[in-house]
Amino acid sequence: SAFLAPVLAGGRSDTRLPLFSYFALLNVFVLGVSWFKAWRSLNIAGFVLTLLIGMAWGVDHYRHSHYLVTQVFVVLFVAAYSAMPVATALLRVPGLAAWHEGILLFGVPLAGVGLQRALVGNLEYGLAWSAFVGALWYFMLGGLLRRRKAPANAILEMAYLGIAGVLLTISVPLAFGARLTSALWAVEGCAVLWL
């Protein structure tokens, strides 16, 4: 019901900062509760409800003047929920076996791609840079898991590195022409075959 409070209140404001600040604090609370109570379904509820309510707001009320506040919120939202399974695995939080919550593992990058498409799709190289930065973020998260060298984290590590590889692959045609894209994809194919 806390997620529905802004919707039920029906407030109208010229700036989205109060709404996004409220949701950011609410998501920090959700992640904190699930951290100490191993309540992983709360993470999923927080992710889904924030995404749905944010998208509903965006469809009806988003204007270009809201770009900066919206972009900061989207980055924090994606970073928090994509890092949660890694933090759970690395710090051995109770409920470690919950890594298989695929909605957080794969739903967060899919939601991030969709949200970035809506925000920067009309900017030159906006999607390319978004995909590239997302790839770096997921490589970093996968690298953190790899450094721990825990056999229990192997599948999670490969999933993060796979998501990073997909985002990096997507960024190439968004930034370059057909010839350079085919050349870079050929090099990438050789590297994957070598690995």
Side-chain angles (χ1 to χ4, degrees):
S1 63
F3 284 95
L4 298 177
V7 175
L8 297 174
R12 300 274 186 241
S13 175
D14 288 338
T15 178
R16 295 294 97 195
L17 188 57
L19 176 68
F20 289 147
S21 297
Y22 174 78
F23 272 107
L25 289 173
L26 191 57
N27 280 310
V28 166
F29 176 75
V30 165
L31 294 172
V33 167
S34 71
W35 183 266
F36 292 107
K37 297 292 182 186
W39 201 356
R40 300 295 172 250
S41 60
L42 187 61
N43 283 349
I44 294 171
F47 167 68
V48 170
L49 289 171
T50 302
L51 180 64
L52 291 177
I53 293 170
M55 286 173 49
W57 169 83
V59 167
D60 290 338
H61 304 292
Y62 179 77
R63 294 188 310 264
H64 186 67
S65 60
H66 299 139
Y67 172 77
L68 183 60
V69 172
T70 305
Q71 184 67 272
V72 168
F73 178 76
V74 166
V75 168
L76 292 175
F77 169 71
V78 170
Y81 281 102
S82 62
M84 192 60 190
V86 174
T88 300
L90 290 180
L91 300 175
R92 301 188 189 283
V93 173
L96 177 62
W99 68 265
H100 61 273
E101 291 169 350
I103 195 164
L104 289 181
L105 185 59
F106 298 108
V108 172
L110 287 173
V113 166
L115 294 171
Q116 284 300 97
R117 171 72 177 97
L119 285 173
V120 299
N122 60 344
L123 300 175
E124 186 178 15
Y125 302 117
L127 288 174
W129 280 111
S130 295
F132 181 72
V133 170
L136 293 179
W137 173 251
Y138 274 90
F139 274 128
M140 186 203 67
L141 292 174
L144 288 173
L145 289 167
R146 189 172 188 81
R147 288 187 61 175
R148 181 61 63 100
K149 296 184 181 179
N153 297 340
I155 294 175
L156 186 61
E157 172 193 328
M158 293 305 292
Y160 273 92
L161 294 176
I163 292 167
V166 167
L167 289 172
L168 188 60
T169 300
I170 289 171
S171 70
V172 172
L174 293 170
F176 303 110
R179 281 188 172 171
L180 191 52
T181 295
S182 61
L184 290 172
W185 279 359
V187 170
E188 181 184 18
C190 291
V192 168
L193 184 61
W194 178 73
L195 286 174

